[in-house]
Amino acid sequence: MDKEATIKIRDYFKKIWVYHIIVGLIFLMYSASVITTDGAMLKNVLMFLGYLFLLTGIGNIMYSFSGINSIRFHWGEMLFWGVVEIFSGWIILSKKLEIFEIFLLETVGDVVRRATTAELDLKGYLIVFYIGTFLIFRGISHIVTKMYNLSIPRRNYIFIIEKWLLILDGFLDLTFGIVIVISAYLAPELFNYILFLYITFSSIILILFGWSLKYSTKESEEVLENEESQLK
């Protein structure tokens, strides 16, 4: 791998690792506030999820830019999910899905009532389905990509980040995505609690990821120094 690209990525990591830790701490503080207030802050969990998607999306775009010239870095995947995360955060915070859902219920509901005289109670299902499917596909994408990376020899990496952490993040998304979709049909009253748990675990992973970036810059320097000493 090109030494110049390696140094560039390493220097970029030194600037952005703090961002992930700060974002993780902010949402971990929210989780703590939910516990200390006996669930009073739980009513705002959807809003905080929107901000989480928005800020992690910004972080992933920043992260992708650090390896934009490296194929092994998978910067395109990170850039794509960063954009999708920002869009998801915006759509949740702007309540666009709720507005569309109200319109859908008013139009489709009238048709159903005329045909069957039955009440249509689907409010909240659209946002649940969107969040669940989004997490499922993001989780699968991260797991497949990082599993592929495991087959690459350690010395060929331009930076070193613990793969188990990235794979764990993918499994976290996949698991919670499935649970969220199922909860819409079996236990809708648990939806807010599931989002709370997801935010809590995601906060911890963000903090670990930030520290992992910091650690990777140190270890990559050692790798470069060893390679240079072997060439002499």
Side-chain angles (χ1 to χ4, degrees):
M1 184 57 59
D2 185 70
K3 179 181 176 181
E4 184 179 348
T6 303
I7 295 174
K8 178 183 175 183
I9 293 173
R10 186 185 65 201
D11 292 341
Y12 204 88
F13 281 178
K14 289 179 179 179
K15 299 175 182 177
I16 68 169
W17 69 271
V18 178
Y19 176 85
H20 296 277
I21 291 181
I22 292 175
V23 172
L25 288 174
I26 289 173
F27 288 97
L28 201 58
M29 289 171 61
Y30 165 72
S31 298
S33 69
V34 171
I35 297 173
T36 56
T37 59
D38 294 327
M41 293 291 292
L42 197 61
K43 61 182 179 181
N44 299 319
V45 68
L46 192 59
M47 179 186 71
F48 275 90
L49 181 69
Y51 282 119
L52 177 64
F53 285 161
L54 193 65
L55 294 176
T56 54
I58 293 173
N60 280 332
I61 290 178
M62 293 166 54
Y63 178 70
S64 69
F65 284 163
S66 63
I68 200 167
N69 295 321
S70 172
I71 297 176
R72 287 199 184 101
F73 193 78
H74 294 288
W75 65 269
E77 179 205 4
M78 301 307 297
L79 179 61
F80 169 77
W81 284 112
V83 172
V84 174
E85 286 163 352
I86 290 176
F87 172 77
S88 299
W90 170 78
I91 203 172
I92 291 174
L93 293 172
S94 63
K95 300 184 178 181
K96 296 293 183 182
L97 287 177
E98 292 182 17
I99 295 172
F100 177 74
E101 190 170 56
I102 292 172
F103 170 77
L104 191 66
L105 289 175
E106 289 177 350
T107 54
V108 177
D110 288 340
V111 174
V112 172
R113 278 191 290 271
R114 292 194 196 100
T116 64
T117 66
E119 292 294 326
L120 188 67
D121 185 18
L122 295 175
K123 189 174 181 180
Y125 276 61
L126 186 60
I127 186 69
V128 173
F129 183 76
Y130 178 84
I131 294 173
T133 52
F134 164 68
L135 291 178
I136 289 173
F137 282 108
R138 189 175 68 171
I140 292 174
S141 174
H142 288 178
I143 292 170
V144 171
T145 303
K146 304 311 177 292
M147 284 292 190
Y148 168 77
N149 284 347
L150 287 176
S151 63
I152 301 176
R154 187 181 179 89
R155 64 179 181 275
N156 290 337
Y157 277 103
I158 51 180
F159 63 97
I160 300 171
I161 296 178
E162 293 298 335
K163 304 304 176 296
W164 65 266
L165 181 60
L166 300 174
I167 294 174
L168 178 63
D169 181 48
F171 275 110
L172 178 73
D173 284 350
L174 178 60
T175 302
F176 273 92
I178 294 173
V179 172
I180 286 172
V181 172
I182 293 176
S183 72
Y185 301 97
L186 301 181
E189 68 278 2
L190 297 179
F191 178 63
N192 284 351
Y193 294 96
I194 296 171
L195 292 189
F196 161 72
L197 289 176
Y198 175 76
I199 290 175
T200 302
F201 286 118
S202 293
S203 302
I204 296 172
I205 286 183
L206 275 171
I207 294 171
L208 292 175
F209 183 72
W211 280 115
S212 183
L213 287 182
K214 179 177 173 60
Y215 169 75
S216 71
T217 63
K218 178 181 178 181
E219 190 167 353
S220 64
E221 288 175 349
E222 296 174 357
V223 171
L224 281 177
E225 290 174 358
N226 291 333
E227 290 179 351
E228 290 176 352
S229 63
Q230 290 175 3
L231 291 175
K232 292 180 180 180

